[in-house]
Amino acid sequence: MTAGGKSEGSEAAEELEADKIRLVMALRRQGIRDGRVLSAIERVPREAFVTGSFVEQAYDDHALPIECGQTISQPYVVAYMTEKLEVGERMKVLEVGTGSGYQAAVLAQLCRRVYTIERYRTLLNDAVKRFEILGFHNITAQVGDGGKGWPEQAPFDRIIVTAAAPEIPLELANQLKVGGIMVVPVDVDGEQGGQMGGQKLVRLTRHEDGANVEELLPVRFVPLVEGVARES
Ligand code: SAH
């Protein structure tokens, strides 16, 4: 107990809540205008998707390390990508790169069902536990090579890739419905950066006979790696 009579735990929780409100206000100032996206960010406790000392930094606007040498994306980038995806409430969305599960949880607030795929079993199992604890029941998660998409569940209304691809992944674009949108970070020089080299965020909209491609922001993501990870 502190002098004020509150337990340290509840003070920490109040501080996180205040940090979260500050973050949402900052996202709005930075141009995130979709109220549905902002309230999805408000509803998902980012502190539940990081561990240890990173919990205190849960609402700082930067990427944080997670298990297996991967990262949970920066909140601004999550909000921006989600906004650009224009998710509707009846939609079926594919995410490649579950990581901590945070982006999937944000999407799950906005659509009918999220299918998310991760190459590390450790990360996937942790993410699934979080979805259960938080009561997010409209997320289906599996271990696999997300570069190949999820053919059994295709076509999707929306696809989001949260790892950088060497070029626009056509195998994924082919799993979009006509009119569907994919947002994906792509290496700028067409060579897989590996060390998180230059990347741009690309938005692809599928049409009857092709696709429209727009370049959005410069970004930094971990690379999209082929195959399921071998873990000891
Ligand atoms: N969306 C995540 C951030 C993920 S970081 C979050 O909200 O926390 C990118 C993730 O993509 C990493 O966990 C990495 O293991 C995964 N990844 C990379 N290549 C992949 C592939 N081919 N298939 C599935 N997941 C992949």
Side-chain angles (χ1 to χ4, degrees):
M1 291 289 206
T2 58
K6 276 183 194 159
S7 72
E8 275 176 32
S10 85
E11 264 188 16
E14 276 174 25
E15 215 159 285
L16 281 171
E17 203 50 40
D19 288 349
K20 185 202 279 187
I21 291 165
R22 273 194 291 273
L23 172 69
V24 170
M25 286 166 64
L27 294 176
R28 186 171 306 167
R29 275 199 306 277
Q30 289 171 77
I32 305 298
R33 291 278 177 261
D34 187 336
R36 294 179 63 236
V37 172
L38 291 167
S39 61
I41 300 270
E42 240 180 285
R43 282 200 299 276
V44 179
R46 191 165 184 260
E47 66 271 29
F49 294 83
V50 292
T51 52
S53 60
F54 296 117
V55 167
E56 287 165 32
Q57 300 174 48
Y59 296 103
D60 290 358
D61 192 16
H62 51 65
L64 292 170
I66 55 173
E67 299 289 298
C68 307
Q70 306 302 312
T71 53
I72 174 173
S73 309
Q74 181 191 351
Y76 175 75
V77 174
V78 171
Y80 182 85
M81 289 174 86
T82 306
E83 187 169 71
K84 290 296 177 186
L85 215 50
E86 296 175 17
V87 180
E89 57 190 25
R90 304 176 70 93
M91 289 183 179
K92 183 173 169 181
V93 179
L94 173 67
E95 180 197 28
V96 174
T98 313
S100 67
Y102 179 70
Q103 171 75 73
V106 170
L107 290 166
Q109 310 300 311
L110 299 168
C111 70
R112 185 168 57 78
R113 183 157 289 276
V114 179
Y115 294 86
T116 183
I117 184 161
E118 169 57 54
R119 61 189 293 277
Y120 283 98
R121 181 166 294 284
T122 303
L123 290 176
L124 191 94
N125 288 347
D126 287 352
V128 167
K129 269 184 230 149
R130 292 175 178 132
F131 302 148
E132 279 167 11
I133 290 168
L134 295 167
F136 297 153
H137 299 302
N138 59 336
I139 305 172
T140 306
Q142 85 172 10
V143 172
D145 181 355
K148 306 207 159 24
W150 196 321
E152 299 80 11
Q153 290 298 339
F156 297 95
D157 297 287
R158 299 289 185 260
I159 299 178
I160 182 170
V161 184
T162 63
E167 52 203 32
I168 295 175
L170 295 182
E171 207 163 338
L172 295 180
N174 283 329
Q175 293 182 27
L176 276 176
K177 291 183 188 169
V178 171
I181 297 175
M182 171 165 73
V183 174
V184 52
V186 178
D187 292 338
V188 167
D189 51 12
E191 279 172 37
Q192 190 135 21
Q195 298 306 311
M196 303 221 286
Q199 304 155 7
K200 65 194 172 198
L201 200 59
V202 166
R203 175 161 79 168
L204 176 147
T205 307
R206 184 163 179 183
H207 301 308
E208 287 284 358
D209 51 2
N212 179 43
V213 173
E214 284 163 84
E215 289 187 9
L216 308 171
L217 292 182
V219 283
R220 275 168 96 81
F221 277 86
V222 296
L224 188 72
V225 178
E226 247 180 74
V228 169
R230 286 213 214 149
E231 292 171 83
S232 49

